[in-house]
Structures are given as structure tokens and as C-alpha cells.
Amino acid sequence: MTLPETSLAYLRTAARAADDKQAENIVALDVSDALGIVDSFLVASASNERLVSAVVDAIEDALIAEHDLRPIRREGKGQGRWVLLDYGDVVVHVQHDEDRAFYALERLWNESPVVDLGLTPAADASTGDAAEGAGSEQDDLHGAADPS
């Protein structure tokens, strides 16, 4: 994994904030080898538009408080279905459960290594069918350390 420590710190801060707001299926992917302009994606989902907004607000607040980091760009907040927060090296996607299942970002980027977020196993575990059809890969998509 070629992820810089700063990106890892941002991911973990954002993941903890999302988890604190009851986001589900929190996954981080190291896309640095596939994309030259971004180190990683954090993907989380929520069951309704209000919760999507609350998760996004919590992530923004935590990254400002802990790292003095503000998004370069924010897309989709008004709709509350899929919000993208662009922090340059780290891009955060918070999606409504239905949009998460439909767009399946984990499957799109399935060649990218999963990043260990350091969340508790209960927080890392899937509680929904957002990555439906992923089979045994599902366990690897929730912050588990890569055995290789």
C-alpha cells in the first residue's frame, strides 16, 4: 500500500466521525495506483437523506477540528442522496443505501486495496446489503487487514 500517513489519518478521522453518526458499510480504498490524482476513497452509507447529511456534517467537522482540513469541493449535499467531499488526496463518498447498492463503488474499484480504518469489528462489519453480490469479498471490504 502506498498511502501516505496524512491520507491515512484523514481517512481514519472521517471514518470515526461517520461511525459515530451511525453510517453503515464504511470502507476505505487505496486508489493511488489506479488514479494519479487521488490517494484514497472513503465510502459510507446511510438509510435516509437526513442521516446522509448528518454523516457528512460530522465528517467535515471532525476533519476541521482534528486536521484543520476543509473540502476543496462538495457535491450533492442539497439532495442528500450521494454527497462527495473532495479533500484533494482523499475523496469521501456518503451515499444513501439505495444509491450505494446501485452504483457499487467497491465493485468498480475492486482491484484497489482495502485500507484498515482501525474501527472496532462491530463498526467495520456490514449491516446491510449495500455491496450485494460481492460474496466472500464482502468481509474484505470493511476494514479488515489484508493478509498478504
Side-chain angles (χ1 to χ4, degrees):
M1 199 178 309
T2 59
L3 205 58
E5 285 299 316
T6 54
S7 293
L8 183 58
Y10 300 158
L11 285 172
R12 288 184 172 161
T13 297
R16 280 192 308 274
D19 184 49
D20 288 348
K21 284 294 180 185
Q22 300 176 345
E24 300 171 338
N25 303 318
I26 303 167
V27 178
L29 302 171
D30 178 349
V31 295
S32 60
D33 288 340
L35 298 173
I37 58 172
V38 175
D39 288 335
S40 57
F41 289 158
L42 179 74
V43 185
S45 54
S47 58
N48 61 64
E49 289 86 353
R50 185 176 288 176
L51 190 52
V52 167
S53 257
V55 170
V56 168
D57 290 344
I59 290 170
E60 285 186 288
D61 292 346
L63 286 171
I64 289 169
E66 291 185 36
H67 304 285
D68 195 28
L69 184 66
R70 289 167 175 71
I72 297 166
R73 186 175 61 222
R74 179 185 311 115
E75 301 287 337
K77 188 155 184 191
Q79 293 80 26
R81 300 286 302 182
W82 180 350
V83 180
L84 181 144
L85 300 171
D86 182 353
Y87 289 96
D89 293 333
V90 174
V91 175
V92 176
H93 301 268
V94 181
Q95 298 175 297
H96 188 285
D97 288 337
E98 294 167 359
D99 293 354
R100 175 95 179 252
F102 182 79
Y103 290 103
L105 292 178
E106 295 95 331
R107 279 183 278 188
L108 181 64
W109 296 99
N110 68 355
E111 298 290 320
S112 300
V114 175
V115 177
D116 180 3
L117 295 170
L119 297 176
T120 61
D124 273 349
S126 170
T127 58
D129 295 326
E132 186 176 322
S136 64
E137 293 175 20
Q138 187 67 23
D139 292 337
D140 293 341
L141 294 175
H142 298 286
D146 185 8
S148 53

